[in-house]
């Protein structure tokens, strides 16, 4: 690693590593600073959802970046982080895929999620925080997650050394952040699509209307292209994409 995680903040417990990283950014922390916690008591997903973060079992980390990018060019960095996580778990024998915009999934179960947040100053980016929650050793999830979450350990049957996982993941994150920072979405789009499940039909809600179709890769700005059976093409720029079981698709 040349820049990511050279500076680290290691916490036994905190509310959210994203909040800790943002607070440090406001006090001048450097590009590449990584905040890691063993537990979070207010781990967050998107749209005020919570992220289950039991102590000592999994990775909860946030990367502080100070990219020279326009604010609108920052959010797709989530896609680059997803590639890094997907490759790391795949190298450990997990059959993982990317699900737009921020999930790493095994089948329909979520293994990891990415939460990118940023702060601007005078119209330019002051800092971005890329938070990653990766389930490594959890074997028992709370009831609401039991059917929709998984971990490396559940997939492989093997316990995971969190220190080793962190180091390898940071190396991959640095490589993919570098690629994104140099070439934007164009530099990672093909790699992202190769790791995404583009066979699975999906449902998305666009302007209040539910659309079903096939994901067909990324647009130039990181939006997901979804094509209906009729051939109609849509751009998904925000929200959730539901993977439909093949048999449940409405005709
Ligand atoms: C995400 O949100 O997937 C982003 C998760 C980012 C978590 C990291 S941990 C380090 C850093 N600090 C933070 O505070 N956050 C980041 P979203 O796409 O909105 O998905 C959230 C949904 O995932 C929840 O509503 C649950 O359904 C589900 N979920 C919650 N905890 C989970 C877990 N541990 N494993 C799998 N699914 C989970």
């Amino acid at each position: 690693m040349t820049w990511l995680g050279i500076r680290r903040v290691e916490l036994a417990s905190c509310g959210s590593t994203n909040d800790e990283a943002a607070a440090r950014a406001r006090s001048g922390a450097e590009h590449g600073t990584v905040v890691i916690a063993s537990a979070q008591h207010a781990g967050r997903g998107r749209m005020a959802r919570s992220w289950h973060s039991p102590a000592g079992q999994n990775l909860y980390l946030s990367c502080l970046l100070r990219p020279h990018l326009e604010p609108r060019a920052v959010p797709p960095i989530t896609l680059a982080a997803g590639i890094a996580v997907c490759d790391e778990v795949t190298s450990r024998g997990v059959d993982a895929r990317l699900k737009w915009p921020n999930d790493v999934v095994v089948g329909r179960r979520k293994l990891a999620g990415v939460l990118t947040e940023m702060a601007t100053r005078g119209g330019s980016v002051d800092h971005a925080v890329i938070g990653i929650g990766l389930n490594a050793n959890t074997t028992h999830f709370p009831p609401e997650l039991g059917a929709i979450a998984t971990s490396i350990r559940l997939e492989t049957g093997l316990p995971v050394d969190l220190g080793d996982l962190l180091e390898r993941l940071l190396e991959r994150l640095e490589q993919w952040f570098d690629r994104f920072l140099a070439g934007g979405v164009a530099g990672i789009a093909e790699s992202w699509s190769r790791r995404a499940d583009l066979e699975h039909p999906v449902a998305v809600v666009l302007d209040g209307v539910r659309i079903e179709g096939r994901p067909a890769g990324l647009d130039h700005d990181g939006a997901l292209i979804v094509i209906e059976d009729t051939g109609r093409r849509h751009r998904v720029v925000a929200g959730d994409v539901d993977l439909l079981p093949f048999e449940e698709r409405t005709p």
Side-chain angles (χ1 to χ4, degrees), residues 18-30:
N18 268 33
D19 293 343
E20 294 288 338
R24 282 161 174 84
R26 288 191 291 272
S27 357
E30 277 177 29

Side-chain angles (χ1 to χ4, degrees), residues 15-19 40 42-47 49-54 58-62 102-103 110-115 130-135 141 144-145 148-150 240:
S16 155
T17 56
N18 268 33
D19 293 343
Q40 298 182 117
R44 290 187 282 112
R46 296 173 302 148
M47 300 173 269
R49 295 163 176 157
S50 68
W51 187 258
H52 177 61
S53 311
N58 307 311
L59 285 187
Y60 319 112
L61 69 135
S62 296
N102 67 323
D103 289 354
K110 186 153 163 166
L111 178 67
V114 182
L115 177 67
I130 299 99
I132 298 164
L134 168 56
N135 298 326
F141 287 96
E144 69 277 14
L145 297 177
I148 59 169
T150 189
D240 287 311

Side-chain angles (χ1 to χ4, degrees), residues 6-137:
I6 303 302
R7 303 278 166 116
R8 294 189 196 184
V9 179
E10 295 180 7
L11 304 169
S13 174
C14 67
S16 155
T17 56
N18 268 33
D19 293 343
E20 294 288 338
R24 282 161 174 84
R26 288 191 291 272
S27 357
E30 277 177 29
H31 174 74
T33 302
V34 171
V35 179
I36 309 138
S38 300
Q40 298 182 117
H41 49 81
R44 290 187 282 112
R46 296 173 302 148
M47 300 173 269
R49 295 163 176 157
S50 68
W51 187 258
H52 177 61
S53 311
Q57 299 179 14
N58 307 311
L59 285 187
Y60 319 112
L61 69 135
S62 296
C63 305
L64 165 61
L65 270 58
R66 296 190 181 277
H68 302 291
L69 293 173
E70 304 246 313
R72 66 188 161 81
V74 169
I77 200 166
T78 295
L79 304 168
I83 296 174
V85 175
C86 186
D87 283 4
E88 180 50 33
V89 300
T90 303
S91 78
R92 292 164 181 263
V94 178
D95 186 16
R97 291 275 186 285
L98 295 171
K99 179 162 103 58
W100 192 92
N102 67 323
D103 289 354
V104 181
V105 295
V106 180
R108 299 177 77 207
R109 288 173 186 266
K110 186 153 163 166
L111 178 67
V114 182
L115 177 67
T116 297
E117 298 175 312
M118 73 173 139
T120 57
R121 184 180 294 178
S124 53
V125 177
D126 179 71
H127 63 265
V129 173
I130 299 99
I132 298 164
L134 168 56
N135 298 326
N137 286 314

Side-chain angles (χ1 to χ4, degrees), residues 42 57 88 95 138 142 175 178-179 203 220 244:
Q57 299 179 14
E88 180 50 33
D95 186 16
T138 294
Q175 285 167 17
D178 276 340
R179 256 171 93 158
H220 62 93
L244 293 174

Side-chain angles (χ1 to χ4, degrees), residues 208-226:
V209 179
R210 183 183 151 99
I211 307 290
E212 290 183 5
R214 228 159 257 289
L218 300 174
D219 210 349
H220 62 93
D221 57 355
L224 181 72
I225 311 271
V226 174

